[in-house]
Every structure is written in structure tokens, then in C-alpha cells.
Amino acid sequence: MIKKAIVIVILVLISCKKNVEKSIATSFSSNQKQIISWYNKAYSLKNSDYFKIKDYADSIKKVNTEEPTDFKALAFLCDGIYYHRIGEEQLSFKNFNSALNLLKKTKNDSLLVTAYSGLGNYYKNNGDYPNSLKNLLQSLKLAEKLKDTVKIGGIHANLGQMYLQKDDNVLAKHHLDISCKILQNHKKSGPYLIAIHTMANIYGMGGDYKAALQLDDEGLKISEIIKSNDLKATFLDNKANCFMYSNRLDSAKYYFDACLKLDLFNKNQKQISDSYANLAQLALFSKNSSEVEHYSNLSISIAEKVNYNPGLVKNYKVLIDLYKSQGNYKKALEVSEKYQLVYKKLINEKKEAQIAELNTFYEDEKKEKELLISKAKVSEKEIQIKNKNTQFQILGLVSLALLIISYLIYRQQKLKNQQQEQEFLLKSEIKEIENHNKLQEQRLVISKDLQDSLGAQLTYIISSIDNLKFAKLIENEKVEKQLTKISNYTKSTFIELRDTIWAMKSSEYTFEDMQSRISNFTEKALAEKTNIDFQFIIDDNVKNTKLSLIVGINLYRSIQEVVNNAIKFSEANQIKVTISKGKIAIQIEVQDNGKGFDMENIEFGNGLYNMKKRIEEINGEFKVDSIAGKGTIIYINIDK
């Protein structure tokens, strides 16, 4: 969600008045005082009317042309804050990077903390965790040197966010604990709210909703005190999600609505779109199809206007789940195609952002190089006047050029690798959707088989009972025989129903599960044939092998039918099922010592044909080997 993705880098920026007054100078001109005043006002608007920040940034630019580097950097920092707040991350990066390049020359530690933090959070929000960690740790090092408690606590909060995004909850909680401890006396600050909001996310994702809601309530109270609607919205959003995933849907609706009201008041279109998407997700939980489509369409309409592709992806996922739950696979496929198009677009946007980042770096390096060349020329003239020695300067420039070229090659390769990773993720998601569709089709086939099979069997039972009911003269012995036949047929029907329900109730099985079901089946089948010795042997290294629903059902039905045929027709006194692991496949053998048959003069019936078809559907091999008078072996090989 956008509120969790933003979590506001600006909150860890410097308390500007103190920072500027401590770090730039102790005595200012009237123009410099005006610049500081505008910067302070811009910073104070970071959580409220942040659209005005741009006006202050532009005002600073107009009057700082003759000012020292530190004052010029303040305009870039303002723009970095502004563009981050409106979601223009690439422009935010460009301005923070420009500020950093200026501040490196002055070595102003206090303002460098701000620049490094801004870049660290930019990389964090774009998933570039190595660069995020590098910049945040550099910022932390400078903050610790300054002994600035609020800055140190804020940077630890951002490190906690980064590790949470990386799914490393241990390190995330470590940094958040440090942040909360450091900021105990600064609870009415943005960094403290970042820390407890991120900690609430960890508790919520771990299912500890009580702990998460306690932190959310604390955050809401502090947000009210400091009059920050944006921060209040993030806690409302988190609280609503806790209620939704703990199945307290009425409470979730209340807090999602409250969050939407704040978003509408703040006029942030991306957050409004995100809140409508949350309400659509809630409606899906509540099984309210009309509301799902209503809120999703509102969210999609806004997301399309502001080109908010993450919002579109979120809504398409909700609609795909809705249409699948309705059995409307045609619509689900249509939305899935839209989802894939937008997902590809997101990958391309990320690639373009990385290229733009590289270009920004290159342009900055180019300017530095031009500056060095210019200085080198001046030095060369001076040295020519003295001793005409320029070799060291030329060597330095060549080395710098080689370093730049090497870095550009490295970055291009890194971009290529990241693109390949994203393309692999996309293919994986598409494959997952296809597998899910196949799974649903298999469930439909099983349901149809169940309906047809049980329908025929129950019709036979009803017909038999009616015949008994309306027969005029029936001997007691014949009645008893017919009733016994009906009883046995009913038991068979019940067993088949129970087996089918067992097969459908889980998404995966093991061979050990299958052994249990086959053993139950054979105990009943062998009740009247006590002369048969039945064995079911599974190697220990195969027992816990997990099988998908489709593979598990097809194997179970095939083995069940082979064993049943052997009991009924083979006249065998030994039946043995063996499951073992071969070099490239799992091998299943069903062997009996019955009458067998001549392979060259036998015509396979529907039973063997159906078994062969079942195994081939799961990309397995099915083979029959029999010798008249010596028994039969059925071989089934399944790829590991």
C-alpha cells in the first residue's frame, strides 16, 4: 500500500532551523536569513500542505545564485522532499543527488545526513537494498558523529523499514527496537512514529493483531497531537488491515472509510486510489461481489488518470480472485491479461528509472571531469611557466576516465541482471496463474465424475428398493439376497464418496497419505478373500514426497483400480505394491502372482486405457507386463 511504501523519508530529515544555524554559520546576511526562513517553512509543511513546498524551493533558487554552496543545496533538499511526497521518485533522487554533490565539497555533516537519508530511502522504495543500506549507514555514521539523537533514531527506523521490505524481520525488529529506545523522550516526533508504524506492520504480518493495534492506537493519538493527517492515515490504514485479516470486517470497514476521508481531504490521488482498492479487497473478504467491482472500478479510474501502475496491479489481482471465485474464468483471463501488461510496464518503468539514475550519475561525473580538466589547464599553464611538467595531471585524468568507463560498464551489466530477474518473476507469476487454472479444471472434472458416478449408483439403489416394494410374490431368500446386494452396493458408494472427498479436501498429498487410503480400501475389498496376502511397501526416502492435487488424485485412482482388478479377476494369492526412488523418477510397481494373460493376444479394455490416460496426464509412464499363468506387473514412473 502506498501509505506503507511512503512512510515518509522527510520525517528523518534535519530539524532545519537547528541544523542550518549550527552547520552553516553563526552570522547570516538578510538574504541568507530569508533562505533559512523559507526552508524552515517548507520543512514544516512536509506532513500537511506539502504542495506549497515547491513554491518555497523556487523562491530559494531565485535568490541563492550568489550564496555559498550550503544555501544552494537547501533548494535541492526542498525539491527532494516535495517530489518524494507527490510520488515522483526519480525527480526526488535527482534533487537529493544534486544536493549531495554540492555538500561533498563543503563537508557539511548536518546537511549531508539529510542528503544521504533521502537517497537511502529512494533506493529502499525502489528495491535497491545494497545502495539503500550504503547511504543509510553513511547517514547514520555522520549523525552519530554529531550526537543527534532524533536523527540517529530516525535512521534506525528507516533501516528497520528496509529490512522489513527484504523480509528480514529479525534485523528489522533489531533496528526498530534501537530506534524506539533512543526516541523514548521524543515520542512526538516523526521518526518515532515511523518506528512504531513499522513495528506494528511486523506484528500484524505475524498475526499478533493485539500488539499491532496497540501501537496503531498510540500512533493515532500522537498524530492527532502534532496535527499530521498523513501520518494519521497510515495508522488508520494499518489498523483496518489488522481487523480485516483477523476477520473483524465491520471494524475494518469503519477504519478504511475513515482513512478514505483523510485521503480525500488531502487530495492525494494515489492514496485515494489505494484506499478504494483496500475497500475492494475488504468486499472480496465479505463476498460482496457488487462492492468489489464498484470500489475496484473507482480505484482503477483514478489510477489510470494519474498513471499509478502499482494501484492497477493491486486492483487487477482483486478482480482476478473475484472472477475465479465465481467460476467466471473468461473474465478472470481478460483481467489477467491486463494485469500482465501493466506488470510488464512496471518492469520497464523501473528499468527506465535505473537508466535515468545512471544518466544523472554520468552527467554529474561529466561536470566534475570538465571542472577538473578546466582546473588542470590552468595548472598546466602555470606549470609551463615554471617547469612545463604536466604528466601527473594527464595521468590522473586518464585514470578518472577509465574509472568512469568501468563504472558505466558495471552499471549496465547490473541493469541487465535486474531486468532478467524481473522477467523471471513475471514468467513465474504467469505460470502460477496457469497452474491454478489447471487445478480448478481438475476439481470440476472430479465434481462431474462424482455427480455421474454417484447418480448412477444411487439410481440403481432406488430402483432396486422400488422393485422390492412393488413385487407381489417374492420368496424370503430372494428378498434377503437382493437386500444384501443393495447393502453392499451402498457401502461401495459410500466408500467412493469418502475417497473422493478425501482427494478434494487438500491441495497436496504424500505417498504415506496414499498408503493409508489404499490400505483402508484393501481391508474392505479383502474381507471376503482372506487367502490373499497384500503388501504395500514405500521406501523411507519417498514417504514424505509431496504431490500436487492433480498428481495425487491420478496416482491414487490408478493404484486403486489396479489393486481392485487384481483382487477381483487375477485369482492371485499375493498382491504387492512397491514405491521407490530411482535415478530420474519415482517408480511404482503393482505385482500379482495370478493367472496373468498373453500380451500378444489380449485387447486392453477401458480400465487399463483409463489408467494409462490418467498417468500420461501427469507426464508419467504407464506399462503393463504379464505372462499367462505367472502373474502381472503394472509399472508407473513419475518424474521427481
Side-chain angles (χ1 to χ4, degrees):
M1 282 166 275
I2 190 170
K3 301 172 187 68
K4 292 181 181 177
I6 292 178
V7 197
I8 317 168
V9 59
I10 309 95
L11 294 173
V12 297
L13 300 177
I14 57 174
S15 174
C16 190
K17 185 173 182 179
K18 289 182 180 179
N19 292 337
V20 173
E21 289 178 354
K22 286 181 180 179
S23 61
I24 297 179
T26 56
S27 177
F28 307 115
S29 67
S30 59
N31 190 55
Q32 290 170 346
K33 289 179 181 178
Q34 180 63 72
I35 291 173
I36 294 171
S37 174
W38 283 333
Y39 183 83
N40 287 336
K41 289 177 181 178
Y43 185 80
S44 69
L45 296 172
K46 61 190 179 297
N47 294 318
S48 53
D49 195 4
Y50 46 81
F51 288 101
K52 291 182 180 178
I53 294 175
K54 181 61 178 169
D55 295 333
Y56 287 115
D58 292 340
S59 297
I60 293 172
K61 289 176 186 176
K62 288 178 182 178
V63 300
N64 71 357
T65 54
E66 303 298 326
E67 295 295 344
T69 302
D70 289 341
F71 288 91
K72 293 177 181 178
L74 293 180
F76 288 117
L77 292 177
C78 281
D79 273 338
I81 295 169
Y82 168 72
Y83 286 118
H84 174 77
R85 290 315 316 277
I86 65 171
E88 295 287 348
E89 291 292 343
Q90 189 53 41
L91 287 173
S92 176
F93 163 80
K94 185 176 181 180
N95 281 280
F96 279 125
N97 192 57
S98 296
L100 179 62
N101 287 328
L102 289 174
L103 293 168
K104 279 181 179 178
K105 300 171 185 176
T106 66
K107 297 183 179 180
N108 185 316
D109 289 344
S110 183
L111 295 180
L112 279 170
V113 169
T114 303
Y116 279 122
S117 293
L119 290 172
N121 282 283
Y122 162 79
Y123 286 119
K124 177 194 69 184
N125 293 338
N126 283 274
D128 187 348
Y129 302 121
N131 270 324
S132 176
L133 183 62
K134 175 184 173 183
N135 282 276
L136 289 175
L137 288 179
Q138 183 62 34
S139 181
L140 181 61
K141 180 180 177 182
L142 294 171
E144 288 175 340
K145 179 181 175 182
L146 296 170
K147 297 181 180 180
D148 191 313
T149 301
V150 175
K151 289 180 185 177
I152 295 168
I155 296 166
H156 277 293
N158 284 318
L159 285 167
Q161 283 182 315
M162 186 202 70
Y163 282 114
L164 177 59
Q165 288 179 206
K166 286 183 67 180
D167 293 324
D168 189 340
N169 286 4
V170 174
L171 277 177
K173 196 169 184 302
H174 168 73
H175 284 285
L176 294 172
D177 285 337
I178 292 174
S179 178
C180 290
K181 185 177 180 180
I182 290 174
L183 297 171
Q184 275 301 306
N185 296 325
H186 302 276
K187 288 189 174 183
K188 294 179 184 178
S189 68
Y192 179 74
L193 291 178
I194 288 178
I196 64 171
H197 180 272
T198 310
M199 188 71 81
N201 287 342
I202 292 176
Y203 286 135
M205 288 186 290
D208 190 350
Y209 301 117
K210 182 179 179 181
L213 289 169
Q214 285 178 344
L215 290 176
D216 287 329
D217 287 336
E218 181 184 359
L220 286 170
K221 289 177 182 177
I222 297 173
S223 299
E224 287 281 359
I225 293 170
I226 66 175
K227 297 180 180 179
S228 173
N229 285 335
D230 274 9
L231 289 172
K232 184 178 179 181
T234 64
F235 286 105
L236 287 172
D237 177 84
N238 195 61
K239 194 169 185 177
N241 274 285
C242 285
F243 284 125
M244 181 169 70
Y245 288 104
S246 61
N247 205 34
R248 296 160 70 181
L249 303 184
D250 289 339
S251 296
K253 180 70 164 61
Y254 173 82
Y255 286 103
F256 275 137
D257 284 339
C259 186
L260 176 61
K261 286 179 182 178
L262 281 178
D263 291 337
L264 290 169
F265 176 79
N266 294 332
K267 299 179 181 179
N268 188 312
Q269 296 301 305
K270 291 182 180 180
Q271 291 184 3
I272 293 170
S273 173
D274 205 56
S275 285
Y276 280 130
N278 287 338
L279 287 167
Q281 181 71 61
L282 177 62
L284 186 65
F285 270 67
S286 305
K287 298 181 180 179
N288 190 331
S289 302
S290 60
E291 283 198 359
V292 174
E293 291 186 317
H294 170 70
Y295 286 123
S296 285
N297 288 334
L298 284 173
S299 181
I300 289 170
S301 175
I302 296 170
E304 287 176 340
K305 286 179 183 177
V306 297
N307 196 30
Y308 179 38
N309 287 324
L312 291 175
V313 167
K314 182 175 181 178
N315 281 287
Y316 290 149
K317 282 184 178 178
V318 171
L319 289 174
I320 289 170
D321 289 341
L322 170 66
Y323 294 136
K324 282 182 180 178
S325 69
Q326 296 174 337
N328 192 342
Y329 296 106
K330 183 178 179 181
K331 270 197 171 184
L333 182 60
E334 289 174 1
V335 178
S336 178
E337 289 172 353
K338 292 181 181 179
Y339 168 83
Q340 292 167 25
L341 286 173
V342 176
Y343 191 83
K344 287 180 181 178
K345 193 173 180 182
L346 272 175
I347 293 174
N348 290 334
E349 284 177 354
K350 191 168 184 179
K351 179 181 175 183
E352 289 169 3
Q354 290 169 336
I355 292 172
E357 174 193 327
L358 181 60
N359 289 336
T360 299
F361 175 84
Y362 177 75
E363 288 298 325
D364 290 337
E365 289 294 329
K366 184 178 178 182
K367 290 176 183 177
E368 290 288 333
K369 182 180 175 181
E370 288 173 352
L371 182 60
L372 287 172
I373 292 172
S374 176
K375 289 181 178 179
K377 287 180 179 178
V378 174
S379 298
E380 184 181 355
K381 289 179 182 179
E382 293 176 353
I383 294 170
Q384 282 177 346
I385 295 171
K386 294 178 182 179
N387 55 18
K388 297 182 180 181
N389 186 4
T390 61
Q391 293 181 359
F392 290 110
Q393 287 79 2
I394 294 172
L395 181 61
L397 291 173
V398 171
S399 300
L400 178 61
L402 289 173
L403 284 173
I404 293 173
I405 292 169
S406 300
Y407 180 81
L408 291 174
I409 293 171
Y410 165 76
R411 289 292 293 174
Q412 285 177 340
Q413 185 60 41
K414 186 176 180 181
L415 287 170
K416 183 179 178 181
N417 292 341
Q418 289 175 341
Q419 181 186 3
Q420 289 174 344
E421 278 186 20
Q422 294 293 342
E423 288 173 353
F424 174 77
L425 288 174
L426 175 61
K427 289 178 182 177
S428 298
E429 286 209 17
I430 294 171
K431 185 67 176 177
E432 186 179 344
I433 292 171
E434 290 173 352
N435 288 340
H436 186 76
N437 288 340
K438 287 181 182 178
L439 190 63
Q440 289 299 112
E441 289 171 4
Q442 186 67 21
R443 290 187 187 275
L444 291 174
V445 170
I446 294 170
S447 300
K448 186 176 184 303
D449 288 346
L450 179 62
Q451 180 180 348
D452 293 343
S453 174
L454 290 183
Q457 291 169 342
L458 291 174
T459 301
Y460 170 81
I461 294 169
I462 293 168
S463 175
S464 299
I465 293 172
D466 285 342
N467 288 338
L468 288 176
K469 179 179 178 182
F470 294 106
K472 293 181 180 180
L473 294 172
I474 301 177
E475 296 178 9
N476 289 337
E477 184 179 351
K478 290 183 178 180
V479 171
E480 184 178 354
K481 185 177 180 181
Q482 184 69 6
L483 288 172
T484 301
K485 189 175 181 181
I486 293 170
S487 174
N488 291 336
Y489 205 85
T490 305
K491 289 176 182 177
S492 174
T493 302
F494 176 75
I495 291 169
E496 184 172 344
L497 174 61
R498 186 172 60 185
D499 285 346
T500 303
I501 291 171
W502 169 80
M504 293 182 68
K505 73 180 181 179
S506 180
S507 61
E508 59 182 26
Y509 311 94
T510 64
F511 283 110
E512 196 168 28
D513 297 331
M514 196 177 298
Q515 181 183 26
S516 174
R517 298 303 302 179
I518 293 290
S519 297
N520 288 340
F521 162 77
T522 53
E523 282 179 10
K524 294 178 175 61
L526 294 171
E528 297 178 3
K529 294 191 177 185
T530 56
N531 63 321
I532 297 178
D533 176 27
F534 178 79
Q535 297 180 53
F536 198 122
I537 302 170
I538 305 179
D539 286 358
D540 289 338
N541 58 358
V542 179
K543 276 187 177 182
N544 294 319
T545 300
K546 291 185 178 179
L547 307 170
S548 68
L549 172 63
I550 297 172
V551 174
I553 289 175
N554 283 6
L555 278 180
Y556 172 72
R557 288 299 190 197
S558 298
I559 296 172
Q560 183 188 48
E561 191 163 354
V562 172
V563 172
N564 190 44
N565 287 344
I567 293 171
K568 286 184 177 180
F569 308 119
S570 72
E571 300 178 6
N573 56 26
Q574 288 184 348
I575 299 173
K576 183 178 179 181
V577 179
T578 306
I579 301 177
S580 59
K581 182 183 288 187
K583 290 183 178 180
I584 60 174
I586 293 175
Q587 300 172 340
I588 302 167
E589 293 181 11
V590 183
Q591 181 178 7
D592 68 69
N593 65 347
K595 61 184 180 180
F597 51 85
D598 188 346
M599 292 288 293
E600 295 181 358
N601 298 317
I602 192 72
E603 188 171 323
F604 292 142
N606 290 334
L608 284 173
Y609 175 78
N610 289 336
M611 282 184 267
K612 187 172 186 295
K613 185 179 178 183
R614 283 183 186 275
I615 299 305
E616 288 176 347
E617 283 177 354
I618 56 176
N619 298 320
E621 295 180 1
F622 182 89
K623 181 182 175 183
V624 181
D625 191 8
S626 184
I627 300 175
K630 292 188 177 181
T632 302
I633 304 177
I634 304 292
Y635 299 94
I636 299 172
N637 290 335
I638 301 297
D639 190 284
K640 290 180 183 179

